[in-house]
C-alpha cells in the first residue's frame, strides 16, 4: 500500500524515460517538474501543451497530468508537503502553493533566465541528496527549497496577473496541433497536411506558417522527427524487424526509413539497434 506521506517534508527524484510512467503521488502535495532534456506533449486536466527542454511545470495536488514523450526525456520532479509550505516566510504572498489546482496549466517559466535559476537551484538541491533520497534536518536543503518555492510563487503570481503571459491564439493552436500529431502518429492518412488543416479549419498554407512561427520547424519536419524518435524507441525496446517498424509508422519502404533515420541518427536502423543491444 502506498504510504500516506514520505519520510520528509519534500521528495525529489530525477528520471529519464522513453515512455511516461506515472509517478507515485501523495495527497495534498503540489509538484514542480523540470524538463531537463527531451520533447513531447504534456496534458494537464485534459489540456494539451507541447513541452521541450527547459520547460517548468507546477502541478497542484488536484491536477491530473501525463506526458506523451516524443523524444527521450529527462525529468526532475519535486514534491513538497503543504505543512512545509505553511511554515515558509511570506506564505501569504504566494497562496497558489496550497493543495488545490494550479492557476497555470502550461509552463510557468518561459524566460531563459528564470529557467536557468530554477535549474541551478534544483541542481544544488540534488547535490545535497545522495542517492536522490530525501534529507531531513539539513539547513542547506531547507534553505534551497525555500528559495525554489519563493521563485515558483513569484512566477505563478506573474502568470496569473500579467495578461501578456497568457497563451496567444497561435501558441495554443500549435500546441493543439502537436497534441493531434502525437495522438495520430501511427495513422499516416491523418497526418497529411491537407487533412490536418481541415481538422483545425485552416488552409494548409496558413496553418503551416503559424506552426513554423511558433515551433521553429515545419509541420512535416516535426512529424518526421517525431516518427524517427519513436522508431528509435521501437528498435531499443522491441524485436520488431526494421520492415515492420517502417510499416507501423507509414514509411514508404525500408529504404525510405533508412535514408531518413541515417540523416537524423548518423547510422542505419540496423546498426543503431546493434549499438544499443551490445
Amino acid at each position: 500500500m502506498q504510504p500516506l506521506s514520505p519520510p520528509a517534508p519534500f521528495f525529489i527524484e530525477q528520471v529519464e524515460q522513453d515512455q511516461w510512467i506515472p509517478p507515485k503521488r501523495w495527497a495534498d502535495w503540489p509538484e514542480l517538474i523540470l524538463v531537463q532534456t527531451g520533447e513531447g506533449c504534456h496534458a494537464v486536466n485534459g489540456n494539451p501543451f507541447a513541452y521541450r527542454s527547459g520547460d517548468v511545470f507546477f502541478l497542484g495536488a488536484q491536477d491530473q497530468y501525463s506526458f506523451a514523450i516524443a523524444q527521450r526525456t529527462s525529468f526532475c520532479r519535486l514534491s513538497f508537503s503543504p505543512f512545509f509550505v505553511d511554515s515558509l516566510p511570506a506564505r501569504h504572498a504566494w497562496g497558489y502553493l496550497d493543495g488545490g489546482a494550479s492557476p497555470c496549466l502550461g509552463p510557468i517559466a518561459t524566460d531563459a533566465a528564470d529557467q536557468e535559476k530554477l535549474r541551478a537551484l534544483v541542481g544544488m538541491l540534488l547535490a545535497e541528496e545522495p542517492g536522490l533520497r530525501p534529507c531531513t534536518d539539513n539547513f542547506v536543503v531547507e534553505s534551497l527549497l525555500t528559495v525554489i518555492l519563493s521563485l515558483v510563487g513569484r512566477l505563478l503570481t506573474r502568470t496569473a496577473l500579467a495578461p501578456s503571459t497568457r497563451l496567444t491564439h497561435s501558441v495554443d493552436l500549435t500546441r493543439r496541433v502537436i497534441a493531434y500529431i502525437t495522438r495520430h502518429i501511427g495513422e499516416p492518412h491523418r497526418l497529411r497536411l491537407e487533412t490536418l488543416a481541415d481538422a483545425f479549419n485552416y488552409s494548409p498554407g496558413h496553418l503551416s506558417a503559424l506552426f513554423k512561427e511558433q515551433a521553429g520547424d515545419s509541420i512535416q519536419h516535426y512529424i518526421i522527427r517525431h516518427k524517427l524518435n519513436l522508431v528509435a524507441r521501437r528498435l531499443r525496446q522491441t524485436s520488431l524487424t526494421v520492415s515492420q517498424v517502417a510499416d507501423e509508422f507509414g514509411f514508404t519502404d525500408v529504404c525510405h526509413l533508412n535514408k531518413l533515420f541515417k540523416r537524423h541518427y548518423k547510422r542505419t536502423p540496423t546498426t543503431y539497434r546493434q549499438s544499443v543491444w551490445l
Side-chain angles (χ1 to χ4, degrees):
M1 180 180 295
Q2 179 174 306
L4 294 178
S5 63
F10 72 97
F11 179 80
I12 188 169
E13 66 175 352
Q14 195 171 25
V15 296
E16 190 169 355
Q17 298 177 337
D18 288 309
Q19 188 170 359
W20 175 247
I21 300 173
K24 178 186 295 183
R25 300 183 68 183
W26 290 280
D28 299 327
W29 285 51
E31 300 180 27
L32 186 70
I33 297 180
L34 287 79
V35 179
Q36 297 168 310
T37 60
E39 62 182 44
C41 183
H42 177 40
V44 187
N45 304 330
N47 299 287
F49 300 92
Y51 77 82
R52 58 188 174 184
S53 177
D55 278 347
V56 181
F57 297 94
F58 173 80
L59 290 311
Q62 304 305 315
D63 289 323
Q64 299 299 313
Y65 70 89
S66 64
F67 287 85
I69 298 173
Q71 182 182 58
R72 186 173 180 82
T73 299
S74 173
F75 299 100
C76 184
R77 174 174 163 264
L78 175 62
S79 305
F80 32 87
S81 161
F83 301 106
F84 182 84
V85 172
D86 286 339
S87 70
L88 295 174
R91 170 65 176 80
H92 63 280
W94 22 281
Y96 295 126
L97 292 176
D98 57 23
S102 169
C104 174
L105 300 181
I108 64 170
T110 55
D111 181 78
D114 289 330
Q115 292 177 349
E116 182 55 37
K117 287 176 189 175
L118 280 171
R119 186 161 44 241
L121 288 166
V122 171
M124 288 187 284
L125 186 60
L126 284 168
E128 289 288 326
E129 293 282 281
L132 300 184
R133 293 187 301 272
C135 294
T136 55
D137 300 323
N138 185 322
F139 175 75
V140 173
V141 167
E142 292 194 358
S143 298
L144 284 169
L145 193 58
T146 299
V147 175
I148 289 170
L149 295 185
S150 296
L151 179 54
V152 169
R154 189 175 73 192
L155 292 172
L156 287 171
T157 301
R158 183 190 305 167
T159 301
L161 297 180
S164 60
T165 63
R166 294 173 185 168
L167 289 178
T168 65
H169 176 71
S170 58
V171 170
D172 181 55
L173 173 66
T174 300
R175 289 175 171 171
R176 288 190 292 117
V177 169
I178 289 176
Y180 175 98
I181 291 170
T182 301
R183 188 164 59 250
H184 298 295
I185 197 65
E187 305 171 83
H189 64 285
R190 290 181 177 268
L191 300 180
R192 297 189 184 99
L193 182 55
E194 293 75 12
T195 304
L196 208 156
D198 285 343
F200 289 91
N201 297 314
Y202 277 84
S203 70
H206 192 189
L207 183 64
S208 295
L210 288 174
F211 186 92
K212 188 168 185 177
E213 179 185 349
Q214 295 299 326
D217 205 354
S218 72
I219 291 176
Q220 292 308 310
H221 283 171
Y222 180 87
I223 291 172
I224 290 171
R225 189 154 46 89
H226 188 13
K227 282 187 176 183
L228 291 175
N229 287 328
L230 294 177
V231 166
R233 182 191 300 174
R234 290 286 193 276
L235 295 172
R236 291 194 303 270
Q237 298 180 348
T238 76
S239 59
L240 293 172
T241 67
V242 175
S243 178
Q244 288 173 322
V245 175
D247 288 340
E248 179 181 358
F249 292 107
F251 290 95
T252 306
D253 51 36
V254 173
C255 291
H256 183 216
L257 172 57
N258 281 344
K259 181 180 179 180
L260 293 173
F261 194 91
K262 189 172 183 179
R263 185 183 301 163
H264 189 74
Y265 284 97
K266 311 304 180 186
R267 63 188 77 179
T268 66
T270 300
T271 55
Y272 175 85
R273 170 175 271 169
Q274 291 170 346
S275 69
V276 297
W277 279 13
L278 290 178

